[in-house]
Amino acid sequence: MDYTDNTPNASRLLDSLRSSGYDNYSAICDIIDNAFDANADIVKVTIGETGSLGKEHIISISDNGEGMDETVLDQAMRLGSLTDRQADNLGKYGMGLITGSISMGRRLTVITKNSGRYLTAIQDLDEVADKNQFIKTVREANKIETARFDELLGGAESGTIVTIQKIDNLQNKQINSFQAKLIKDCGQIYRYFINSNKHIYINGKEVRAIDPMYLDDPRTEVFLDAQEEIKDDEGKQTNIRMRVVALPKLSDAESRQEGFNIVNQGIYLLRNNREITKGESFGIFSKHNDYNRFRAEIFVSSDLDRKIGINFRKEGNKLSDDVRSWIERQVIPQLKTIRENAKRDQKNKTEKIDHGGSSRVISAKSSILKKPRIDQENTTPALEGANSDVFTNVSFEVESNTRLAPLFQYEVKGKNIKVNYNNDHPFYQQVFAEARDNPNLTNAIDFVIYSATLALIDITSTREREHLQDEWIDRFSDNLRALLS
């Protein structure tokens, strides 16, 4: 068979990879992964500005790992490098250095020291585009580069500095804000490395481990810590571990401050002790406020990469059937318990809310309230025979429905209006539960709902408009739910 060269268009391929979905923080973390794979125990990230007007950004990631010789450096500057990988490495496809750096900037410079020898490699996308070839420079480091290495790494015996320039895709140009998020992300992603005496510094500030499981808090309940042997793609038995916790019970305000919410609830997947996904449901359960205290960690090795659907950006979100089945068996019973506890706690909170005070105020102010005008010849069956007295005899009751049901419904019964609150709606759970010890605020909310009910009765009292009643309440409740979720 005759073969012909099928080299891809260099410029277009790299431009395509620049749009592969990396965010800046993930790209930097991919380069930090390389540092830890090189056995570094110190990694320094610097984000700054250069140029006479300070408008050119520059990012550097330096580490005191093993450094690279010329052969390894040459491979590291390629897409899909052929450098040796161990089972516990964080790297996967040899793509992280190139794809991570070019996703942010158009020029990559690597200075490395190994066995006393300083080397420099440079890849400039403008030069690649000009020649439309995968080209780079690999050479001995000059005096300026050697001095920069010694300045950043304090004369370390080995190590590497990755510098990204010509940055044209910085997603947050406010350096302080960028730095703050990167510190938080790294603290959580590398929490087990930091707790094993690895050190990460970002613009000189040391990153502290952040544990989304709150395991150091004595109020955290560990529901499960289980392990299982699962076959990898080669048929070899490989360990998978899951830990399920219920976070501490906090006040509503404290829970919001700590991020105990729908976004952060769920499963945190760690590959070789490095977090790759957070707050996932994997389609095993539907996220709900009842699960805000539920968090789980799953620990896997790189042997299970295909089983968790990991891609070159180290995202895993497609579980194999056997992995999903095992996770479901562990998680579903724990979710049931956590939800039952949440409903009981919520019931205890909302049972203390007294709506009687607002009913009494409404009755006392009956004479100054504007009541609905009912046309008895064209009114709905529910309002036949209703007079103005009906609209000031009001009671507020609470019942459990579902989170997706309306916040309230009303019904006219004899000479009374009954407003039925749904205590599963986020507004009732968050606002009423927090206001339960503030009767003035509770009454004020009741007055808003009562006033809306009177206006709604007035507008929809005819047979032609009766259908608008449920539509208005649904839209009102849906918008509140969306704003509070």
Side-chain angles (χ1 to χ4, degrees):
M1 182 179 291
D2 294 331
Y3 294 99
T4 60
D5 181 76
N6 196 29
T7 303
N9 183 292
S11 178
R12 290 194 175 184
L13 176 59
L14 290 176
D15 281 343
S16 175
L17 287 172
R18 298 194 79 206
S19 305
S20 60
Y22 264 116
D23 67 50
N24 296 162
Y25 309 101
S26 298
I28 291 172
C29 286
D30 265 6
I31 298 171
I32 293 174
D33 288 348
N34 294 339
F36 286 138
D37 283 346
N39 297 316
D41 53 37
I42 296 175
V43 180
K44 299 177 181 178
V45 181
T46 304
I47 308 136
E49 296 175 332
T50 62
S52 59
L53 299 177
K55 290 185 178 181
E56 297 178 15
H57 292 88
I58 183 170
I59 296 173
S60 69
I61 300 99
S62 55
D63 70 76
N64 67 343
E66 296 168 352
M68 293 176 275
D69 60 25
E70 193 165 359
T71 300
V72 174
L73 178 59
D74 177 72
Q75 283 294 324
M77 297 293 287
R78 297 172 182 260
L79 286 169
S81 64
L82 297 177
T83 53
D84 291 336
R85 302 189 191 286
Q86 306 300 317
D88 60 351
N89 278 179
L90 302 181
K92 171 65 177 173
Y93 297 106
M95 303 275 281
L97 175 60
I98 298 298
T99 54
S101 60
I102 69 175
S103 71
M104 294 181 284
R106 300 187 64 81
R107 182 178 177 89
L108 166 66
T109 302
V110 177
I111 306 171
T112 189
K113 180 182 179 183
N114 175 269
S115 300
R117 187 183 182 196
Y118 295 84
L119 295 170
T120 295
I122 300 171
Q123 183 177 69
D124 192 304
L125 297 192
D126 293 329
E127 295 176 2
V128 172
D130 181 55
K131 298 185 179 298
N132 200 23
Q133 294 179 340
F134 292 104
I135 56 174
K136 63 180 182 289
T137 298
V138 179
R139 57 170 170 74
E140 298 285 341
N142 59 36
K143 290 183 179 180
I144 294 175
E145 293 159 349
T146 300
R148 175 170 169 77
F149 181 97
D150 292 338
E151 176 189 355
L152 288 178
L153 289 173
E157 293 184 1
S158 61
T160 299
I161 301 172
V162 174
T163 302
I164 303 163
Q165 295 169 286
K166 294 185 179 179
I167 292 175
D168 56 0
N169 187 30
L170 197 63
Q171 291 154 354
N172 185 349
K173 294 181 173 60
Q174 299 298 319
I175 300 300
N176 289 339
S177 176
F178 189 103
Q179 169 187 311
K181 177 168 169 48
L182 185 60
I183 288 173
K184 183 178 179 181
D185 286 358
C186 287
Q188 183 167 308
I189 290 169
Y190 298 106
R191 56 188 178 274
Y192 287 102
F193 290 81
I194 295 169
N195 289 333
S196 298
N197 210 30
K198 302 285 188 180
H199 302 274
I200 302 173
Y201 298 88
I202 297 176
N203 281 352
K205 184 173 182 178
E206 184 165 10
V207 176
R208 303 296 180 186
I210 297 174
D211 178 18
M213 304 295 120
Y214 286 70
L215 293 173
D216 288 338
D217 192 315
R219 297 170 296 176
T220 297
E221 301 173 69
V222 179
F223 277 30
L224 174 78
D225 197 333
Q227 300 187 54
E228 180 79 0
E229 294 288 326
I230 288 181
K231 288 184 179 180
D232 63 18
D233 289 335
E234 298 178 356
K236 183 178 67 175
Q237 293 290 102
T238 303
N239 189 63
I240 182 172
R241 176 188 173 200
M242 169 177 274
R243 174 163 51 207
V244 177
V245 306
L247 298 175
K249 292 182 181 179
L250 304 178
S251 70
D252 293 338
E254 290 173 323
S255 294
R256 286 195 295 273
Q257 182 177 350
E258 293 295 323
F260 293 6
N261 54 34
I262 284 181
V263 172
N264 294 323
Q265 67 178 234
I267 298 169
Y268 291 63
L269 181 60
L270 292 97
R271 172 185 179 269
N272 291 340
N273 287 326
R274 189 261 207 210
E275 183 181 285
I276 59 174
T277 60
K278 62 179 182 179
E280 285 285 344
S281 68
F282 293 110
I284 293 172
F285 68 100
S286 296
K287 290 200 168 193
H288 187 282
N289 281 325
D290 288 347
Y291 300 136
N292 283 345
R293 292 180 59 222
F294 163 70
R295 291 191 187 173
E297 287 178 312
I298 297 178
F299 300 87
V300 298
S301 72
S302 56
D303 292 332
L304 291 178
D305 279 352
R306 291 191 179 181
K307 295 277 188 175
I308 61 175
I310 192 169
N311 58 29
F312 74 87
R313 295 198 304 271
K314 300 188 183 77
E315 297 168 337
N317 55 18
K318 186 174 177 58
L319 304 178
S320 63
D321 290 343
D322 54 344
V323 171
R324 175 183 294 277
S325 177
W326 182 76
I327 294 174
E328 285 179 345
R329 293 198 302 272
Q330 313 310 310
V331 164
I332 298 301
Q334 317 308 324
L335 285 170
K336 182 179 179 182
T337 299
I338 288 172
R339 184 166 210 173
E340 289 173 350
N341 290 345
K343 285 189 174 297
R344 184 180 62 249
D345 292 342
Q346 190 63 37
K347 184 178 180 182
N348 290 338
K349 288 180 181 179
T350 55
E351 278 182 345
K352 298 177 182 178
I353 299 173
D354 178 20
H355 295 282
S358 51
S359 296
R360 291 188 290 272
V361 172
I362 291 169
S363 179
K365 295 190 175 184
S366 171
S367 62
I368 61 173
L369 298 177
K370 293 183 178 180
K371 289 88 171 181
R373 294 154 296 183
I374 307 300
D375 179 1
Q376 288 296 336
E377 295 183 0
N378 188 32
T379 193
T380 63
L383 294 174
E384 289 179 358
N387 57 48
S388 60
D389 292 337
V390 169
F391 304 117
T392 54
N393 297 324
V394 60
S395 63
F396 296 89
E397 298 186 15
V398 181
E399 58 186 22
S400 292
N401 205 320
T402 67
R403 182 176 179 274
L404 298 178
L407 169 63
F408 74 97
Q409 296 281 4
Y410 69 85
E411 56 182 320
V412 179
K413 299 186 69 175
K415 292 187 176 183
N416 298 284
I417 294 180
K418 185 170 75 169
V419 175
N420 295 313
Y421 282 118
N422 170 23
N423 67 4
D424 285 326
H425 191 281
F427 184 89
Y428 199 90
Q429 291 190 348
Q430 296 179 34
V431 180
F432 266 122
E434 187 134 333
R436 63 186 179 274
D437 296 324
N438 186 342
N440 290 332
L441 181 55
T442 300
N443 288 350
I445 299 170
D446 283 342
F447 298 155
V448 170
I449 298 300
Y450 169 73
S451 298
T453 298
L454 290 191
L456 193 56
I457 290 174
D458 195 21
I459 293 170
T460 64
S461 63
T462 63
R463 293 186 181 92
E464 294 81 9
R465 294 187 175 185
E466 183 179 13
H467 68 283
L468 297 175
Q469 177 189 122
D470 289 338
E471 183 177 336
W472 188 93
I473 293 176
D474 285 342
R475 289 191 181 184
F476 174 81
S477 300
D478 289 346
N479 285 333
L480 271 179
R481 184 186 306 105
L483 291 168
L484 290 169
S485 296

